[in-house]
């Protein structure tokens, strides 16, 4: 799994910064994937506007850059939400009801995997084992794992997190 970048550390995308952060991979054959990882680490996603620059840098067509980006599902094509929620889909969590929990989470958030809620607060992703099987079913929010999650406890958690987002917005006014 790709390391989750904390949204607080993410930078706003600019082509200038994108070009600067991928320079270390220039002239390294096959380093396109490393450059894409670097962009995702920096901005939380790979912006469409970076594609022509990457094509030039690695001497490949824009279509090839697109192909690689869409082949690896870890690469996001749009800006992630304030929090990234990963719901475990592996066996132990499944045995403890992660399927029903996932359905409820999708319904509560009003979005599917690889999508972001309309308010921009949450991006939903799946994950396969968080190493906390004894406390299944598990959900990870950014880097924090929550065990024995129920539809109700998930609701409470996202209400608290959404509250934090709106109070930080208030505070920055
Ligand atoms: S299977 Fe979900 S944490 Fe291991």
């Amino acid at each position: 799994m790709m390391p989750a970048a904390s949204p607080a550390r993410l930078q706003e995308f600019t082509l200038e910064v994108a070009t600067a952060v991928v320079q270390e991979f220039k002239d390294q054959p096959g380093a396109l994937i490393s450059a894409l990882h670097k962009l995702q680490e920096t901005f939380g996603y790979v912006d469409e506007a970076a594609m022509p620059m990457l094509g030039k840098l690695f001497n490949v067509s824009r279509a090839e850059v697109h192909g690689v980006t869409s082949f690896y599902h870890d690469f996001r094509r749009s800006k992630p939400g304030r929090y990234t929620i990963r719901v475990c889909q592996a066996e132990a969590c499944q045995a403890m009801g992660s399927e029903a929990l996932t359905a409820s989470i999708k319904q509560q958030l009003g979005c599917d995997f690889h999508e972001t809620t309309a308010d921009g607060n949450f991006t939903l992703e799946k994950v396969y084992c968080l190493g906390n099987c004894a406390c299944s079913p598990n959900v990870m929010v950014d880097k924090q794992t929550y065990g024995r999650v129920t539809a109700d406890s998930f609701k409470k958690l996202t209400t608290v997190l959404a509250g934090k987002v709106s109070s930080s917005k208030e505070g920055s006014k």
Side-chain angles (χ1 to χ4, degrees):
M1 188 181 74
M2 182 174 297
S6 157
R9 281 196 296 112
L10 297 177
Q11 296 189 39
E12 273 304 310
F13 177 84
T14 66
L15 190 54
E16 211 182 348
V17 175
T19 308
V21 298
V22 296
Q23 286 310 310
E24 61 175 297
F25 304 107
K26 197 179 165 186
D27 301 327
Q28 287 180 32
L32 173 59
I33 292 182
S34 308
L36 289 167
H37 276 290
K38 185 77 186 186
L39 291 178
Q40 177 138 316
E41 227 177 270
T42 308
F43 306 110
Y45 71 110
V46 179
D47 196 287
E48 184 68 35
M51 306 276 170
M53 176 273 288
L54 290 171
K56 247 188 231 161
L57 194 70
F58 294 100
N59 203 18
V60 293
S61 71
R62 199 170 158 167
E64 259 174 279
V65 181
H66 267 280
V68 173
T69 316
S70 31
F71 180 77
Y72 295 96
H73 293 291
D74 271 347
F75 293 124
R76 281 207 191 96
R77 302 288 293 278
S78 56
K79 203 175 170 180
R82 172 64 186 81
Y83 295 99
T84 298
I85 295 174
R86 294 183 164 85
V87 188
C88 183
Q89 305 292 299
E91 245 172 62
C93 284
Q94 268 200 20
M96 295 304 285
S98 69
E99 212 172 300
L101 176 66
T102 300
S104 170
I105 286 175
K106 286 181 180 176
Q107 204 222 341
Q108 288 184 39
L109 297 179
C111 72
D112 209 334
F113 285 128
H114 313 304
E115 291 180 358
T116 298
T117 53
D119 57 13
N121 283 349
F122 305 107
T123 294
L124 186 60
E125 300 288 352
K126 53 175 105 170
V127 69
Y128 291 90
C129 198
L130 291 163
N132 195 36
C133 312
C135 299
S136 298
N138 286 284
V139 168
M140 184 182 244
V141 180
D142 291 345
K143 288 180 178 170
Q144 173 80 46
T145 304
Y146 296 86
R148 300 196 177 95
V149 178
T150 63
D152 276 354
S153 67
F154 181 81
K155 174 108 202 134
K156 283 184 191 135
L157 175 64
T158 49
T159 306
V160 170
L161 295 174
K164 280 189 188 172
V165 176
S166 54
S167 55
S168 74
K169 278 182 191 160
E170 287 295 311
S172 64
K173 271 183 194 169

